[in-house]
């Protein structure tokens, strides 16, 4: 905004708001607040134009718009108040310094006042499980430079595909460290934890009924297997035998069925 005098003799001025809000009277504060000064008296108009001369050129920026908005709100208070010439003169010198300071701030950018909130920074989300001793991987995201934490919602949405059986331990927002790497600890879901199943071997030999295989015979055979997802039958491909034995083909019972004691009965033959 350029301070000029138009054909009708009106004068426009601007100063930074609240720089001297600690002055002793309400009128004193209003005199140094951002205002458009109406030439109620010829002397006041001449004094203002003599003090400011050509004025200060403001670039059209967000700072400029905010100052303009404040001016319009406060000018009504000024015009409705009975401000004496003495009080006006008292604030004029302070206003000149405020205008000069505001001009320096407005001139910091080539085009307008920079908006730092539009700038971005990279944050790396690293997912791991301390209890399982696993690191699943990392996901890079961009956030504003002023952002200092990542929400739990974002953390949940960015989970790698191989963490489907795991849940995030901390469900609050995560602070962004100085190095920009956020570590997210995860635990395995109870339903995803494997059951440890003990195998009991039954041998079908000849025409006699099934008999339990002696421990000496099955010493090198698979003793336990893991079953995920709460299944009730073990995968017979996980069972390793030796000594000429193999998995029997049985029809009346389910081979490898798990009982209530987490024991699976496996029928073998030669």
């Amino acid at each position: 905004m350029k301070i000029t005098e138009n054909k009708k003799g009106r004068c426009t001025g601007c100063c930074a708001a609240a720089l001297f809000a600690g002055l002793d009277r309400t009128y004193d504060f209003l005199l140094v607040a951002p205002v458009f000064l109406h030439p109620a008296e010829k002397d006041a108009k001449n004094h203002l134009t003599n003090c400011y001369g050509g004025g200060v050129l403001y670039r059209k920026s967000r700072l400029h718009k905010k100052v303009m908005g404040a001016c319009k709100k406060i000018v009504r208070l000024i015009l409705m108040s009975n401000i004496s010439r003495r009080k006006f003169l008292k604030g004029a010198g302070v206003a000149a310094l405020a205008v000069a300071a505001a001009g320096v701030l407005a001139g910091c950018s080539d085009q307008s006042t920079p908006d730092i909130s539009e700038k971005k920074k990279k944050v790396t989300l690293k997912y791991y499980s301390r209890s399982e001793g696993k690191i699943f991987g990392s996901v890079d995201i961009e956030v504003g430079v002023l952002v200092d934490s990542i929400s739990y919602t974002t953390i949940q949405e960015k989970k790698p595909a191989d963490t489907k059986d795991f849940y995030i331990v901390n469900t609050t927002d995560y602070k962004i460290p100085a190095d920009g790497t956020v570590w997210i600890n995860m635990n395995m879901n109870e339903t995803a934890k494997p059951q440890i199943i003990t195998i009991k071997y039954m041998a079908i030999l000849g025409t006699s009924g099934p008999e339990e295989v002696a421990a000496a015979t099955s010493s090198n055979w698979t003793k336990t297997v893991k079953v995920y997802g709460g299944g009730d039958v073990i995968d017979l491909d996980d069972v390793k035998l030796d000594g000429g034995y193999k998995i029997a083909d049985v029809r009346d019972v389910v081979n490898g069925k798990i009982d209530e004691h987490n024991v699976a009965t496996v029928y073998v033959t030669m």
Side-chain angles (χ1 to χ4, degrees), residues 5 24 26 46 48 53 58 72 75-76 87 97 112 134 137 151-152 157 162 172 176 180 185 187 196 211 239-240 253:
E5 186 172 349
D24 56 347
T26 303
N46 292 339
L48 183 63
Y58 283 85
K72 293 178 181 179
V75 67
R76 290 190 290 271
K87 289 181 178 180
L97 294 176
S112 63
K134 293 182 178 180
S151 68
Y152 170 73
E157 290 175 350
D162 56 350
T172 61
I176 302 175
N185 184 29
N187 284 343
I196 307 301
E211 297 180 358
V239 177
K240 306 302 179 185
V253 293

PDB file of all heavy atoms in Angstrom, residues 5 24 26 46 48 53 58 72 75-76 87 97 112 134 137 151-152 157 162 172 176 180 185 187 196 211 239-240 253:
ATOM      1  N   GLU A   5      -1.943  11.105  -1.288  1.00  0.00           N
ATOM      2  CA  GLU A   5      -3.023  12.051  -1.027  1.00  0.00           C
ATOM      3  C   GLU A   5      -3.808  12.188  -2.315  1.00  0.00           C
ATOM      4  O   GLU A   5      -3.250  12.510  -3.356  1.00  0.00           O
ATOM      5  CB  GLU A   5      -2.460  13.405  -0.600  1.00  0.00           C
ATOM      6  CG  GLU A   5      -3.552  14.406  -0.181  1.00  0.00           C
ATOM      7  CD  GLU A   5      -2.956  15.672   0.411  1.00  0.00           C
ATOM      8  OE1 GLU A   5      -1.758  15.650   0.666  1.00  0.00           O
ATOM      9  OE2 GLU A   5      -3.681  16.643   0.612  1.00  0.00           O
ATOM     10  N   ASP A  24      -0.362   3.538  28.152  1.00  0.00           N
ATOM     11  CA  ASP A  24      -1.167   3.700  29.354  1.00  0.00           C
ATOM     12  C   ASP A  24      -2.640   3.938  29.098  1.00  0.00           C
ATOM     13  O   ASP A  24      -3.456   3.787  29.992  1.00  0.00           O
ATOM     14  CB  ASP A  24      -0.609   4.849  30.221  1.00  0.00           C
ATOM     15  CG  ASP A  24      -0.523   6.153  29.433  1.00  0.00           C
ATOM     16  OD1 ASP A  24      -0.646   6.091  28.198  1.00  0.00           O
ATOM     17  OD2 ASP A  24      -0.335   7.201  30.071  1.00  0.00           O
ATOM     18  N   THR A  26      -6.350   3.648  26.410  1.00  0.00           N
ATOM     19  CA  THR A  26      -6.970   2.988  25.262  1.00  0.00           C
ATOM     20  C   THR A  26      -6.750   3.780  23.992  1.00  0.00           C
ATOM     21  O   THR A  26      -6.435   3.237  22.946  1.00  0.00           O
ATOM     22  CB  THR A  26      -8.475   2.808  25.505  1.00  0.00           C
ATOM     23  OG1 THR A  26      -8.648   2.062  26.704  1.00  0.00           O
ATOM     24  CG2 THR A  26      -9.138   2.087  24.344  1.00  0.00           C
ATOM     25  N   ASN A  46      -2.353  17.327   7.165  1.00  0.00           N
ATOM     26  CA  ASN A  46      -1.075  17.881   6.733  1.00  0.00           C
ATOM     27  C   ASN A  46       0.076  17.316   7.552  1.00  0.00           C
ATOM     28  O   ASN A  46       1.147  17.039   7.028  1.00  0.00           O
ATOM     29  CB  ASN A  46      -1.111  19.405   6.856  1.00  0.00           C
ATOM     30  CG  ASN A  46      -2.079  20.026   5.864  1.00  0.00           C
ATOM     31  OD1 ASN A  46      -2.413  19.381   4.869  1.00  0.00           O
ATOM     32  ND2 ASN A  46      -2.532  21.237   6.130  1.00  0.00           N
ATOM     33  N   LEU A  48       0.285  14.394   8.971  1.00  0.00           N
ATOM     34  CA  LEU A  48       0.545  13.007   8.584  1.00  0.00           C
ATOM     35  C   LEU A  48       1.315  12.928   7.287  1.00  0.00           C
ATOM     36  O   LEU A  48       2.305  12.210   7.175  1.00  0.00           O
ATOM     37  CB  LEU A  48      -0.786  12.259   8.449  1.00  0.00           C
ATOM     38  CG  LEU A  48      -0.670  10.771   8.114  1.00  0.00           C
ATOM     39  CD1 LEU A  48       0.037  10.047   9.245  1.00  0.00           C
ATOM     40  CD2 LEU A  48      -2.038  10.168   7.866  1.00  0.00           C
ATOM     41  N   GLY A  53       5.804  11.442   4.122  1.00  0.00           N
ATOM     42  CA  GLY A  53       6.322  11.706   2.779  1.00  0.00           C
ATOM     43  C   GLY A  53       5.689  10.761   1.775  1.00  0.00           C
ATOM     44  O   GLY A  53       4.494  10.600   1.712  1.00  0.00           O
ATOM     45  N   TYR A  58       3.989  -1.599   0.008  1.00  0.00           N
ATOM     46  CA  TYR A  58       3.776  -2.963   0.514  1.00  0.00           C
ATOM     47  C   TYR A  58       3.476  -3.894  -0.654  1.00  0.00           C
ATOM     48  O   TYR A  58       2.674  -3.571  -1.529  1.00  0.00           O
ATOM     49  CB  TYR A  58       2.584  -3.003   1.493  1.00  0.00           C
ATOM     50  CG  TYR A  58       2.928  -2.464   2.838  1.00  0.00           C
ATOM     51  CD1 TYR A  58       2.869  -1.097   3.099  1.00  0.00           C
ATOM     52  CD2 TYR A  58       3.331  -3.319   3.849  1.00  0.00           C
ATOM     53  CE1 TYR A  58       3.193  -0.591   4.329  1.00  0.00           C
ATOM     54  CE2 TYR A  58       3.656  -2.822   5.094  1.00  0.00           C
ATOM     55  CZ  TYR A  58       3.570  -1.474   5.332  1.00  0.00           C
ATOM     56  OH  TYR A  58       3.887  -0.989   6.556  1.00  0.00           O
ATOM     57  N   LYS A  72      -9.530  -1.972   8.534  1.00  0.00           N
ATOM     58  CA  LYS A  72     -10.941  -1.687   8.309  1.00  0.00           C
ATOM     59  C   LYS A  72     -11.762  -1.840   9.579  1.00  0.00           C
ATOM     60  O   LYS A  72     -12.745  -1.141   9.786  1.00  0.00           O
ATOM     61  CB  LYS A  72     -11.475  -2.605   7.217  1.00  0.00           C
ATOM     62  CG  LYS A  72     -10.885  -2.323   5.844  1.00  0.00           C
ATOM     63  CD  LYS A  72     -11.411  -3.290   4.805  1.00  0.00           C
ATOM     64  CE  LYS A  72     -10.797  -3.015   3.431  1.00  0.00           C
ATOM     65  NZ  LYS A  72     -11.282  -3.965   2.419  1.00  0.00           N
ATOM     66  N   VAL A  75     -10.655   1.249  12.071  1.00  0.00           N
ATOM     67  CA  VAL A  75     -10.882   2.630  11.657  1.00  0.00           C
ATOM     68  C   VAL A  75     -12.216   3.159  12.153  1.00  0.00           C
ATOM     69  O   VAL A  75     -12.370   4.334  12.470  1.00  0.00           O
ATOM     70  CB  VAL A  75     -10.786   2.750  10.116  1.00  0.00           C
ATOM     71  CG1 VAL A  75     -11.925   2.010   9.451  1.00  0.00           C
ATOM     72  CG2 VAL A  75     -10.792   4.220   9.712  1.00  0.00           C
ATOM     73  N   ARG A  76     -13.239   2.258  12.216  1.00  0.00           N
ATOM     74  CA  ARG A  76     -14.530   2.705  12.701  1.00  0.00           C
ATOM     75  C   ARG A  76     -14.460   3.192  14.138  1.00  0.00           C
ATOM     76  O   ARG A  76     -15.149   4.130  14.534  1.00  0.00           O
ATOM     77  CB  ARG A  76     -15.540   1.561  12.552  1.00  0.00           C
ATOM     78  CG  ARG A  76     -15.905   1.252  11.095  1.00  0.00           C
ATOM     79  CD  ARG A  76     -17.065   0.312  10.996  1.00  0.00           C
ATOM     80  NE  ARG A  76     -16.698  -1.029  11.422  1.00  0.00           N
ATOM     81  CZ  ARG A  76     -16.202  -1.960  10.618  1.00  0.00           C
ATOM     82  NH1 ARG A  76     -16.027  -1.673   9.343  1.00  0.00           N
ATOM     83  NH2 ARG A  76     -15.900  -3.139  11.057  1.00  0.00           N
ATOM     84  N   LYS A  87      -3.313  13.911  21.316  1.00  0.00           N
ATOM     85  CA  LYS A  87      -3.131  12.457  21.378  1.00  0.00           C
ATOM     86  C   LYS A  87      -2.760  11.891  20.016  1.00  0.00           C
ATOM     87  O   LYS A  87      -2.015  10.919  19.910  1.00  0.00           O
ATOM     88  CB  LYS A  87      -4.413  11.801  21.880  1.00  0.00           C
ATOM     89  CG  LYS A  87      -4.668  12.064  23.356  1.00  0.00           C
ATOM     90  CD  LYS A  87      -5.928  11.375  23.832  1.00  0.00           C
ATOM     91  CE  LYS A  87      -6.137  11.625  25.326  1.00  0.00           C
ATOM     92  NZ  LYS A  87      -7.359  10.983  25.831  1.00  0.00           N
ATOM     93  N   LEU A  97       7.556   4.551  12.899  1.00  0.00           N
ATOM     94  CA  LEU A  97       8.481   3.422  13.105  1.00  0.00           C
ATOM     95  C   LEU A  97       7.820   2.105  12.766  1.00  0.00           C
ATOM     96  O   LEU A  97       8.438   1.208  12.191  1.00  0.00           O
ATOM     97  CB  LEU A  97       8.959   3.414  14.564  1.00  0.00           C
ATOM     98  CG  LEU A  97       9.831   4.593  14.990  1.00  0.00           C
ATOM     99  CD1 LEU A  97      10.145   4.495  16.486  1.00  0.00           C
ATOM    100  CD2 LEU A  97      11.124   4.631  14.179  1.00  0.00           C
ATOM    101  N   SER A 112       5.817 -12.566  -2.487  1.00  0.00           N
ATOM    102  CA  SER A 112       4.922 -12.402  -1.348  1.00  0.00           C
ATOM    103  C   SER A 112       5.577 -12.993  -0.116  1.00  0.00           C
ATOM    104  O   SER A 112       6.638 -13.604  -0.193  1.00  0.00           O
ATOM    105  CB  SER A 112       3.585 -13.095  -1.622  1.00  0.00           C
ATOM    106  OG  SER A 112       3.795 -14.480  -1.771  1.00  0.00           O
ATOM    107  N   LYS A 134      11.454 -59.342  14.607  1.00  0.00           N
ATOM    108  CA  LYS A 134      11.318 -59.124  13.163  1.00  0.00           C
ATOM    109  C   LYS A 134      11.288 -57.643  12.835  1.00  0.00           C
ATOM    110  O   LYS A 134      10.781 -56.836  13.618  1.00  0.00           O
ATOM    111  CB  LYS A 134      10.020 -59.755  12.641  1.00  0.00           C
ATOM    112  CG  LYS A 134       9.980 -61.270  12.697  1.00  0.00           C
ATOM    113  CD  LYS A 134       8.661 -61.761  12.113  1.00  0.00           C
ATOM    114  CE  LYS A 134       8.586 -63.271  12.102  1.00  0.00           C
ATOM    115  NZ  LYS A 134       7.300 -63.750  11.530  1.00  0.00           N
ATOM    116  N   GLY A 137       9.789 -53.767   7.544  1.00  0.00           N
ATOM    117  CA  GLY A 137      10.098 -52.862   6.439  1.00  0.00           C
ATOM    118  C   GLY A 137       9.767 -51.428   6.809  1.00  0.00           C
ATOM    119  O   GLY A 137       9.393 -51.128   7.947  1.00  0.00           O
ATOM    120  N   SER A 151      -0.155 -39.267  13.289  1.00  0.00           N
ATOM    121  CA  SER A 151      -1.331 -39.808  13.967  1.00  0.00           C
ATOM    122  C   SER A 151      -1.350 -41.333  13.900  1.00  0.00           C
ATOM    123  O   SER A 151      -0.803 -41.943  12.973  1.00  0.00           O
ATOM    124  CB  SER A 151      -2.603 -39.248  13.337  1.00  0.00           C
ATOM    125  OG  SER A 151      -2.772 -39.745  12.023  1.00  0.00           O
ATOM    126  N   TYR A 152      -2.022 -41.930  14.872  1.00  0.00           N
ATOM    127  CA  TYR A 152      -2.171 -43.395  14.896  1.00  0.00           C
ATOM    128  C   TYR A 152      -2.925 -43.863  13.648  1.00  0.00           C
ATOM    129  O   TYR A 152      -2.623 -44.926  13.102  1.00  0.00           O
ATOM    130  CB  TYR A 152      -2.902 -43.825  16.161  1.00  0.00           C
ATOM    131  CG  TYR A 152      -3.315 -45.280  16.143  1.00  0.00           C
ATOM    132  CD1 TYR A 152      -2.370 -46.290  16.300  1.00  0.00           C
ATOM    133  CD2 TYR A 152      -4.650 -45.640  15.951  1.00  0.00           C
ATOM    134  CE1 TYR A 152      -2.744 -47.624  16.271  1.00  0.00           C
ATOM    135  CE2 TYR A 152      -5.029 -46.972  15.924  1.00  0.00           C
ATOM    136  CZ  TYR A 152      -4.077 -47.963  16.088  1.00  0.00           C
ATOM    137  OH  TYR A 152      -4.449 -49.285  16.051  1.00  0.00           O
ATOM    138  N   GLU A 157      -2.857 -47.001   8.659  1.00  0.00           N
ATOM    139  CA  GLU A 157      -3.121 -47.077   7.215  1.00  0.00           C
ATOM    140  C   GLU A 157      -1.884 -47.478   6.416  1.00  0.00           C
ATOM    141  O   GLU A 157      -2.002 -48.092   5.349  1.00  0.00           O
ATOM    142  CB  GLU A 157      -3.640 -45.730   6.716  1.00  0.00           C
ATOM    143  CG  GLU A 157      -5.032 -45.378   7.199  1.00  0.00           C
ATOM    144  CD  GLU A 157      -5.451 -43.983   6.779  1.00  0.00           C
ATOM    145  OE1 GLU A 157      -4.576 -43.239   6.269  1.00  0.00           O
ATOM    146  OE2 GLU A 157      -6.636 -43.632   6.949  1.00  0.00           O
ATOM    147  N   ASP A 162       2.814 -57.507   4.994  1.00  0.00           N
ATOM    148  CA  ASP A 162       3.223 -58.685   5.765  1.00  0.00           C
ATOM    149  C   ASP A 162       3.024 -58.525   7.270  1.00  0.00           C
ATOM    150  O   ASP A 162       3.473 -59.359   8.055  1.00  0.00           O
ATOM    151  CB  ASP A 162       4.680 -59.046   5.470  1.00  0.00           C
ATOM    152  CG  ASP A 162       5.643 -57.904   5.725  1.00  0.00           C
ATOM    153  OD1 ASP A 162       5.168 -56.773   5.942  1.00  0.00           O
ATOM    154  OD2 ASP A 162       6.866 -58.136   5.700  1.00  0.00           O
ATOM    155  N   THR A 172      -1.389 -44.280  20.373  1.00  0.00           N
ATOM    156  CA  THR A 172      -1.405 -42.823  20.428  1.00  0.00           C
ATOM    157  C   THR A 172      -0.593 -42.261  19.260  1.00  0.00           C
ATOM    158  O   THR A 172       0.001 -43.010  18.483  1.00  0.00           O
ATOM    159  CB  THR A 172      -0.825 -42.314  21.755  1.00  0.00           C
ATOM    160  OG1 THR A 172       0.542 -42.755  21.874  1.00  0.00           O
ATOM    161  CG2 THR A 172      -1.615 -42.863  22.941  1.00  0.00           C
ATOM    162  N   ILE A 176       7.768 -37.193  15.951  1.00  0.00           N
ATOM    163  CA  ILE A 176       8.767 -37.347  14.893  1.00  0.00           C
ATOM    164  C   ILE A 176      10.137 -36.988  15.469  1.00  0.00           C
ATOM    165  O   ILE A 176      10.364 -35.845  15.862  1.00  0.00           O
ATOM    166  CB  ILE A 176       8.448 -36.439  13.699  1.00  0.00           C
ATOM    167  CG1 ILE A 176       7.066 -36.757  13.148  1.00  0.00           C
ATOM    168  CG2 ILE A 176       9.514 -36.588  12.615  1.00  0.00           C
ATOM    169  CD1 ILE A 176       6.622 -35.821  12.028  1.00  0.00           C
ATOM    170  N   GLY A 180      13.951 -38.038  11.694  1.00  0.00           N
ATOM    171  CA  GLY A 180      12.819 -38.270  10.808  1.00  0.00           C
ATOM    172  C   GLY A 180      12.380 -39.715  10.680  1.00  0.00           C
ATOM    173  O   GLY A 180      11.568 -40.041   9.814  1.00  0.00           O
ATOM    174  N   ASN A 185       6.421 -50.399  17.077  1.00  0.00           N
ATOM    175  CA  ASN A 185       6.499 -51.763  17.598  1.00  0.00           C
ATOM    176  C   ASN A 185       5.154 -52.472  17.432  1.00  0.00           C
ATOM    177  O   ASN A 185       4.098 -51.881  17.666  1.00  0.00           O
ATOM    178  CB  ASN A 185       6.895 -51.734  19.074  1.00  0.00           C
ATOM    179  CG  ASN A 185       7.076 -53.129  19.647  1.00  0.00           C
ATOM    180  OD1 ASN A 185       7.442 -54.063  18.930  1.00  0.00           O
ATOM    181  ND2 ASN A 185       6.819 -53.284  20.929  1.00  0.00           N
ATOM    182  N   ASN A 187       2.919 -56.384  17.953  1.00  0.00           N
ATOM    183  CA  ASN A 187       2.822 -57.726  18.523  1.00  0.00           C
ATOM    184  C   ASN A 187       1.911 -58.587  17.659  1.00  0.00           C
ATOM    185  O   ASN A 187       1.013 -58.074  16.982  1.00  0.00           O
ATOM    186  CB  ASN A 187       2.273 -57.680  19.956  1.00  0.00           C
ATOM    187  CG  ASN A 187       3.316 -57.199  20.952  1.00  0.00           C
ATOM    188  OD1 ASN A 187       4.512 -57.189  20.668  1.00  0.00           O
ATOM    189  ND2 ASN A 187       2.863 -56.788  22.120  1.00  0.00           N
ATOM    190  N   ILE A 196       1.417 -75.152  19.289  1.00  0.00           N
ATOM    191  CA  ILE A 196       2.452 -76.189  19.261  1.00  0.00           C
ATOM    192  C   ILE A 196       1.758 -77.529  19.493  1.00  0.00           C
ATOM    193  O   ILE A 196       1.205 -77.798  20.562  1.00  0.00           O
ATOM    194  CB  ILE A 196       3.528 -75.947  20.328  1.00  0.00           C
ATOM    195  CG1 ILE A 196       4.094 -74.530  20.194  1.00  0.00           C
ATOM    196  CG2 ILE A 196       4.631 -77.004  20.208  1.00  0.00           C
ATOM    197  CD1 ILE A 196       4.717 -74.240  18.856  1.00  0.00           C
ATOM    198  N   GLU A 211      -1.253 -99.842  16.325  1.00  0.00           N
ATOM    199  CA  GLU A 211      -0.497 -99.894  17.563  1.00  0.00           C
ATOM    200  C   GLU A 211       0.423 -98.677  17.637  1.00  0.00           C
ATOM    201  O   GLU A 211       0.990 -98.261  16.628  1.00  0.00           O
ATOM    202  CB  GLU A 211       0.331-101.178  17.641  1.00  0.00           C
ATOM    203  CG  GLU A 211      -0.508-102.459  17.661  1.00  0.00           C
ATOM    204  CD  GLU A 211       0.351-103.702  17.744  1.00  0.00           C
ATOM    205  OE1 GLU A 211       1.619-103.536  17.753  1.00  0.00           O
ATOM    206  OE2 GLU A 211      -0.197-104.807  17.785  1.00  0.00           O
ATOM    207  N   VAL A 239       5.378 -83.662   8.427  1.00  0.00           N
ATOM    208  CA  VAL A 239       5.806 -84.838   9.199  1.00  0.00           C
ATOM    209  C   VAL A 239       6.909 -85.573   8.445  1.00  0.00           C
ATOM    210  O   VAL A 239       6.743 -85.952   7.274  1.00  0.00           O
ATOM    211  CB  VAL A 239       4.611 -85.775   9.453  1.00  0.00           C
ATOM    212  CG1 VAL A 239       5.068 -87.046  10.192  1.00  0.00           C
ATOM    213  CG2 VAL A 239       3.528 -85.050  10.240  1.00  0.00           C
ATOM    214  N   LYS A 240       8.025 -85.766   9.118  1.00  0.00           N
ATOM    215  CA  LYS A 240       9.170 -86.470   8.521  1.00  0.00           C
ATOM    216  C   LYS A 240       9.379 -87.814   9.235  1.00  0.00           C
ATOM    217  O   LYS A 240       9.457 -87.876  10.458  1.00  0.00           O
ATOM    218  CB  LYS A 240      10.432 -85.621   8.642  1.00  0.00           C
ATOM    219  CG  LYS A 240      10.296 -84.196   8.079  1.00  0.00           C
ATOM    220  CD  LYS A 240       9.895 -84.206   6.601  1.00  0.00           C
ATOM    221  CE  LYS A 240       9.740 -82.781   6.064  1.00  0.00           C
ATOM    222  NZ  LYS A 240       9.229 -82.772   4.665  1.00  0.00           N
ATOM    223  N   VAL A 253     -10.908 -92.639   9.870  1.00  0.00           N
ATOM    224  CA  VAL A 253     -10.539 -91.562  10.804  1.00  0.00           C
ATOM    225  C   VAL A 253      -9.801 -90.477  10.027  1.00  0.00           C
ATOM    226  O   VAL A 253      -9.356 -90.689   8.898  1.00  0.00           O
ATOM    227  CB  VAL A 253      -9.644 -92.095  11.948  1.00  0.00           C
ATOM    228  CG1 VAL A 253     -10.414 -93.057  12.842  1.00  0.00           C
ATOM    229  CG2 VAL A 253      -8.381 -92.728  11.392  1.00  0.00           C
TER     230      VAL A 253
END
